[in-house]
Amino acid sequence: MFKIFTLLILCLWVSQGEAHRRVIIQPAADCDETSTYQLCQDFRDIRNLIDPNTLVYHISSGYFKDNEFRKAMDFIKTDQFQSVSQQLADSSAYQKLITRFSDAGVSTETIASISNIFNCLLISIPEYGDESEITELEMKPIVVSRTLQDVALNLVNAIPRSKLRQLIRQKLYESSEFANFYRVLRSSGFRRDVKKLLSAYTSRYPINVLKRNNIDLQKLFQYVSKIFDYGSS
């Protein structure tokens, strides 16, 4: 379930097929495999509420100007990231979170691991014809973020609240699976289990490795919770 945290957030950031001038942000290579799952599409629909100009600015500026953000993005491409993601997914604490969703009738492929969540929502490295073009984006000045968590928070804050509430209400009405997912995610029992996951002995090593590479799961989960707390009660 942790995948949701990270995933939601940082895949909230990729607008499929969006390109400004010669600045291109492409979905992660494995994204197509997850896109067939409805929950992944739900996450992407939330992500796509972000203005494309804002999305491109934060991701591109962060990667080319901020070492901490670049380190996190580069780490996500490594075998070690896949390894610690699987270690976390195999832990009893993470499996307990997954069981909450499966028992509620939610297909859990998209959230079966942190790497799955990132594959669904996260982006690949931006490609530039000329890095200086980032200064040409026509938008209001934005404080340049330094970490993956900073970028995630800025993008969460960039989601229009009225559109978010409307989208969530629509999905709750149209999809029983999303409604079940939403109910579990917002439950006090689920959030208590997330805290246990973050502090569990078996989770300590993979979580610490992620943190050393500037991926803070606790903060990312807080931001995901913030998104869904704007929805209907």
Side-chain angles (χ1 to χ4, degrees), residues 32-119:
D32 288 342
E33 297 179 10
T34 357
S35 63
T36 57
Y37 303 130
Q38 183 56 49
L39 194 58
C40 179
Q41 186 57 56
D42 292 332
F43 295 159
R44 291 180 179 184
D45 289 342
I46 295 173
R47 172 201 67 195
N48 290 341
L49 293 175
I50 300 170
D51 174 72
N53 230 28
T54 301
L55 181 80
V56 169
Y57 181 89
H58 281 300
I59 297 297
S60 301
S61 178
Y63 187 76
F64 288 109
K65 295 185 177 181
D66 302 318
N67 291 334
E68 292 187 26
F69 180 72
R70 184 185 303 111
K71 181 178 180 179
M73 294 292 288
D74 288 343
F75 178 69
I76 291 168
K77 299 184 297 180
T78 67
D79 291 340
Q80 187 180 19
F81 173 73
Q82 296 297 325
S83 176
V84 296
S85 174
Q86 191 59 51
Q87 288 178 48
L88 190 61
D90 290 341
S91 69
S92 58
Y94 193 97
Q95 287 302 310
K96 184 175 183 179
L97 296 176
I98 292 296
T99 299
R100 281 186 176 273
F101 288 99
S102 59
D103 286 351
V106 177
S107 297
T108 58
E109 291 90 347
T110 300
I111 56 176
S113 71
I114 297 298
S115 61
N116 281 14
I117 294 175
F118 273 86
N119 283 342

Side-chain angles (χ1 to χ4, degrees), residues 10 41 53 77 119 130 149 152 159 167 172 176 180 223:
L10 253 158
Q41 186 57 56
N53 230 28
K77 299 184 297 180
N119 283 342
D130 180 353
Q149 288 71 232
I159 299 174
L167 178 63
L172 290 173
S176 59
N180 291 335
Y223 303 158

Side-chain angles (χ1 to χ4, degrees), residues 156-207:
V156 168
N157 290 335
I159 299 174
R161 297 300 178 240
S162 59
K163 291 183 178 180
L164 175 61
R165 286 191 290 269
Q166 181 180 3
L167 178 63
I168 290 178
R169 283 197 298 268
Q170 178 184 345
K171 288 185 173 295
L172 290 173
Y173 177 76
E174 295 178 349
S175 172
S176 59
E177 183 172 16
F178 182 83
N180 291 335
F181 164 79
Y182 183 80
R183 176 177 54 81
V184 172
L185 184 68
R186 286 167 53 96
S187 68
S188 57
F190 173 80
R191 297 189 180 190
R192 281 197 301 270
D193 285 345
V194 169
K195 292 180 180 179
K196 292 179 181 178
L197 171 66
L198 291 169
S199 60
Y201 176 78
T202 54
S203 306
R204 188 176 304 166
Y205 174 75
I207 288 176

